[in-house]
Structure formats: C-alpha cells, structure tokens
Amino acid sequence: SFSRGASTTKGIDLLLKKRWSKINTWVNYSLGYSTNTFPEISENRFYSFNDVRHNITIVASYKLKKIQFSLNANYHSGLPYSRPNLLLNEEEVDPQFLYSLEYNAYNNERLKPYMRLDFNINYRTSFKKLNNLRSEISLTLINLLKSDNITSREYSLDYDEESSVSTLSYVQNSLLERTPLFLIRLFW
C-alpha cells in the first residue's frame, strides 16, 4: 500500500578552492534539513532517511610530472533511524504473536557519524606513435582507516520457540571496509 505525503529539503553549501602550482585543495561544507509529512503514518513531521545535517569534504591533490597523489576525507553526521518498542497484545493466545513492533516516533534516533579517508595515486601518459592514444592507471584505497560506516539499522522481532520469549533485535548495514580499486583506462 502507498501513503500520500510531502518532503521538504532545505540547505546551504559552501565551497572553498585553492590552487597552487602543483597542489589543488578544496573544502566543502553542507548544512541540510530534510523532513517528511505523511499524515497516514504520523501526525508529526519526521526526519527523512537521507537527512544529513552536516557534511564536510576535504580534498587535496599533488601533481608530480605525470603522477598525481590525492587524499579525500569525508565526514557527515549520523543518519536518522526509528527505534521501535515491543507492544504486548494481551488478547493473543499464540505466544509467538504475543508481541509486535510499535513505532512511537519515526527517525528520531541517529546513527553514529560517518567518516571516510580515501587515497589515490594516478598516472597518465600518451603514446604519440599510436595516434595519441592516452592511458590512465590508477590505484585507490577506499576507506583507508577502515572506519565502520553504518548506513542503516533495521529492527525485527525474534521469537525463541524453546523459551517462548520474544526479543527485539536489529541488523546494521555498513559500507565498504578498506577496499582497493585498480583502474586501467585507454582513450583517444
């Protein structure tokens, strides 16, 4: 089934760039608010799943002849999620269905902040004898510091038949740990 509602997003971005002979840097800061209104789900306005309040990105690169080194750091405040409560249904006779999940508020909790540092080394050259065929070889290490960047938390109700007990559990989804990325590109 579908619910009818509206989303509102407001924000501001600030970008600072500085270039020296062999070094390029830029810093980006974003401040944002994103909310939803769905009367069928909640009487109150609530934060959108993609509500990132603060986002800071810092990039620096250094070029040495045909080789370029770069660092990219990204930090943003934690994403919102909903934490349910166990609701007792005293009229239910089957112990497996004695409890259900109840959400008193939507997206009123925040995951821990996101932090990622990437490193890249890139080599570009051209081959004049091959009709100016150009090539690029790149090695990137994504999430150099192996930060555990959680992007969502999903709750479920688990029933243990042996003990006849229902418990609230959750699964967290994370982005990549340290990941190498190797690229070879030919273009003309």
Side-chain angles (χ1 to χ4, degrees), residues 94-96 158-167:
D94 186 344
Q96 185 172 356
D158 292 334
Y159 179 73
D160 183 347
E161 290 185 21
E162 256 183 54
S163 63
S164 297
V165 173
S166 293
T167 57

Side-chain angles (χ1 to χ4, degrees), residues 5-89:
S7 292
T8 302
T9 301
K10 298 176 184 177
I12 188 167
D13 287 327
L14 174 65
L15 175 64
L16 302 172
K17 292 175 81 172
K18 177 66 177 163
R19 181 175 291 178
W20 294 276
S21 62
K22 295 181 180 185
I23 299 173
N24 288 320
T25 59
W26 59 271
V27 177
N28 178 259
Y29 172 73
S30 298
L31 172 66
Y33 294 90
S34 183
T35 58
N36 292 329
T37 305
F38 285 87
E40 294 174 21
I41 296 174
S42 175
E43 296 173 4
N44 301 319
R45 179 180 293 252
F46 56 93
Y47 295 115
S48 302
F49 289 109
N50 60 347
D51 179 62
V52 177
R53 192 57 39 85
H54 304 281
N55 187 4
I56 300 170
T57 303
I58 301 169
V59 177
S61 66
Y62 174 75
K63 192 165 188 176
L64 181 64
K65 297 184 183 182
K66 294 181 179 184
I67 299 176
Q68 180 173 312
F69 303 90
S70 61
L71 279 174
N72 177 0
N74 181 249
Y75 166 90
H76 70 69
S77 51
L79 294 168
Y81 71 95
S82 302
R83 181 192 305 262
N85 296 315
L86 287 177
L87 178 64
L88 174 64
N89 181 358

Side-chain angles (χ1 to χ4, degrees), residues 20-181:
W20 294 276
S21 62
K22 295 181 180 185
I23 299 173
N24 288 320
T25 59
W26 59 271
V27 177
N28 178 259
Y29 172 73
S30 298
L31 172 66
Y33 294 90
S34 183
T35 58
N36 292 329
T37 305
F38 285 87
E40 294 174 21
I41 296 174
S42 175
E43 296 173 4
N44 301 319
R45 179 180 293 252
F46 56 93
Y47 295 115
S48 302
F49 289 109
N50 60 347
D51 179 62
V52 177
R53 192 57 39 85
H54 304 281
N55 187 4
I56 300 170
T57 303
I58 301 169
V59 177
S61 66
Y62 174 75
K63 192 165 188 176
L64 181 64
K65 297 184 183 182
K66 294 181 179 184
I67 299 176
Q68 180 173 312
F69 303 90
S70 61
L71 279 174
N72 177 0
N74 181 249
Y75 166 90
H76 70 69
S77 51
L79 294 168
Y81 71 95
S82 302
R83 181 192 305 262
N85 296 315
L86 287 177
L87 178 64
L88 174 64
N89 181 358
E90 295 177 0
E91 296 175 8
E92 180 62 52
V93 289
D94 186 344
Q96 185 172 356
F97 301 106
L98 190 59
Y99 290 94
S100 62
L101 299 181
E102 176 185 48
Y103 293 89
N104 294 330
Y106 293 95
N107 291 344
N108 62 331
E109 301 281 341
R110 293 270 172 182
L111 297 172
K112 70 179 189 171
Y114 173 101
M115 171 58 191
R116 196 177 91 203
L117 180 67
D118 301 336
F119 170 77
N120 175 267
I121 184 169
N122 188 314
Y123 174 76
R124 289 185 180 190
T125 191
S126 61
F127 305 99
K128 291 181 181 169
K129 291 182 179 180
L130 296 174
N131 261 352
N132 279 336
L133 177 71
R134 292 176 290 165
S135 71
E136 176 181 358
I137 300 171
S138 176
L139 173 65
T140 303
L141 289 176
I142 298 171
N143 197 6
L144 190 61
L145 303 177
K146 292 181 68 174
S147 300
D148 185 20
N149 290 313
I150 300 167
T151 57
S152 68
R153 183 178 290 171
E154 300 168 10
Y155 284 87
S156 63
L157 188 59
D158 292 334
Y159 179 73
D160 183 347
E161 290 185 21
E162 256 183 54
S163 63
S164 297
V165 173
S166 293
T167 57
L168 185 63
S169 63
Y170 63 85
V171 174
Q172 296 187 137
N173 298 308
S174 299
L175 290 181
L176 298 172
E177 288 190 358
R178 183 180 308 135
T179 304
L181 177 63

